[in-house]
Amino acid sequence: MDFIDLKTQQSRIRDKLTIRFNNILDHGAYIMGPEVMELEKELAEYCSVKYAIYCSSGTDALLIPLMAWDIGPGDAVFTTPFTYVATAEVISLLGATPVFVDVYQSTFNIDCEKLESAIQNTISEGKLIPKAIIPVDLFGVPARYRLIEEIANKYNLKVIEDAAQSFGGSIDNKKVGTFGDIAATSFYPAKPLGCYGDGGAIFTNKKDLAERCKAIRIHGTIDDKYNSEFVGINGRLDSMQAAVLLEKLTIFDEELSLREKISNQYREQLEYSAQYIPNNYNSSHALFSILLESSSHRESIIKKLKANNIPSLIYYKHPIHLMKGFSYLGYKRGDFPISETLSKTILSLPMHPYLSEEDIELILKVLNS
Ligand SMILES: Cc1ncc(COP(=O)(O)O)c(C=O)c1O
């Protein structure tokens, strides 16, 4: 059994991929070729957003908007410690300070009451200037944008939706990619919509912001590619990856429904608590995670699953505030109790559209016995 099965998916689109790859070999525009332009159009249409800007990874998709806003030393950017390290890393890379906020026990996403307190504390301490919030749509469940946007307006902060895991999700039928000022997603192969290498995209309805992000993506250039208007990065994408995504997009909605069905089956039949999906929220079901009683209980469950050839993974074993790489921020154990407990007790089960009935039955049987 696979934790994520990319082979079955590939067998569905392989012929079409071969045609597209041959086409690229013929036209020779390997980077930012016509496939990339076609994909930007398709992605914008998919989430009903004015601008979709393809880039080299989900990490760069987060970094570029922060650069567009000139965020840097002395600035505070609020996010959670219970996410993939890239979310906090991009803030640190620019010399700004990640200010962590604990998550809700139910959705594992940023706690809005604690967010407002963290903003107020930062203002009253007077050392950093609050500039932006990066809410993370963990495991595919969108964060609480109605409240987040209210808070952002109240304190005049920018919002970047970290939609690396949630592309395809929605709230009240409004698609992920449309929340906040700008959104960033990842097309890392294991994501619900993934390519065969690194890739990412930025989404926004704001024209000036989109223009600036587009330029930063290619070394800060606008018309003349050998004359930078401002400091940028190499955030380009290659045409092969765009070709993979164009074909995967044709079966994406069907795959999302299959994921939804598996998630419902797990939820209805497992005797463990799982991530809460609020009413009117649609998850992309990137990962399905359960909560166990303790880390030793988790170890015993992992062993039991392994003995039955069932793979499982821990997302995330180390909350970012306790990682050595982020010790310079001065946080300590106990600062974010929910994130810390989740890190000790969470476990992700196989989740992909092609998980068979037999596999699901085995997983349910082993876990419930
Ligand atoms: C929440 C989150 N943010 C950012 C990223 C970074 O994306 P990438 O690996 O494409 O750079 C990821 C990737 O796993 C992620 O899960």
Side-chain angles (χ1 to χ4, degrees), residues 234-247:
N234 174 1
R236 296 179 302 235
L237 183 87
D238 61 76
S239 309
M240 295 275 185
Q241 301 308 340
V244 173
L245 290 164
L246 281 167
E247 285 312 322

Side-chain angles (χ1 to χ4, degrees), residues 80-106:
T80 83
F82 192 60
T83 172
Y84 184 57
V85 69
T87 319
E89 185 181 60
V90 290
I91 305 167
S92 296
L93 266 175
L94 294 175
T97 304
V99 176
F100 291 123
V101 177
D102 214 348
V103 295
Y104 291 116
Q105 168 73 34
S106 51

Side-chain angles (χ1 to χ4, degrees), residues 28-213:
Y30 304 123
I31 291 183
M32 307 294 278
E35 292 74 14
V36 177
M37 308 309 146
E38 189 183 340
L39 183 70
E40 283 190 338
K41 202 169 140 268
E42 294 272 327
L43 290 175
E45 262 168 37
Y46 186 85
C47 23
S48 305
V49 76
K50 280 193 192 141
Y51 308 98
I53 304 159
Y54 207 124
C55 65
S56 44
S57 69
T59 307
D60 286 342
L62 288 168
L63 180 68
I64 291 169
L66 292 176
M67 290 176 76
W69 290 321
D70 284 325
I71 285 178
D75 295 337
V77 180
F78 301 85
T79 191
T80 83
F82 192 60
T83 172
Y84 184 57
V85 69
T87 319
E89 185 181 60
V90 290
I91 305 167
S92 296
L93 266 175
L94 294 175
T97 304
V99 176
F100 291 123
V101 177
D102 214 348
V103 295
Y104 291 116
Q105 168 73 34
S106 51
T107 59
F108 316 154
N109 285 336
I110 198 161
D111 180 320
C112 295
E113 239 173 76
K114 290 180 183 157
L115 170 63
E116 186 157 13
S117 305
I119 296 168
Q120 286 171 346
N121 287 344
T122 305
I123 294 170
S124 57
E125 271 175 27
K127 290 187 197 142
L128 297 168
I129 302 169
K131 282 283 173 74
I133 309 166
I134 311 185
V136 182
D137 302 341
L138 207 73
F139 306 155
V141 176
R144 224 171 160 185
Y145 289 99
R146 188 179 52 80
L147 293 183
I148 292 167
E149 285 169 3
E150 261 176 41
I151 294 170
N153 286 338
K154 185 166 165 191
Y155 295 94
N156 196 20
L157 305 180
K158 309 282 189 199
V159 176
I160 309 183
E161 176 185 12
D162 183 341
Q165 304 179 4
S166 61
F167 187 78
S170 60
I171 304 177
D172 287 328
N173 295 321
K174 194 173 177 286
K175 283 263 196 267
V176 153
T178 58
F179 301 107
D181 295 276
I182 198 159
T185 198
S186 164
F187 298 127
Y188 180 77
K191 300 291 188 235
L193 182 66
C195 50
Y196 292 158
D198 275 311
I202 298 167
F203 304 93
T204 185
N205 282 316
K206 301 191 168 175
K207 187 167 184 278
D208 291 350
L209 186 55
E211 293 299 322
R212 200 163 162 100
C213 288

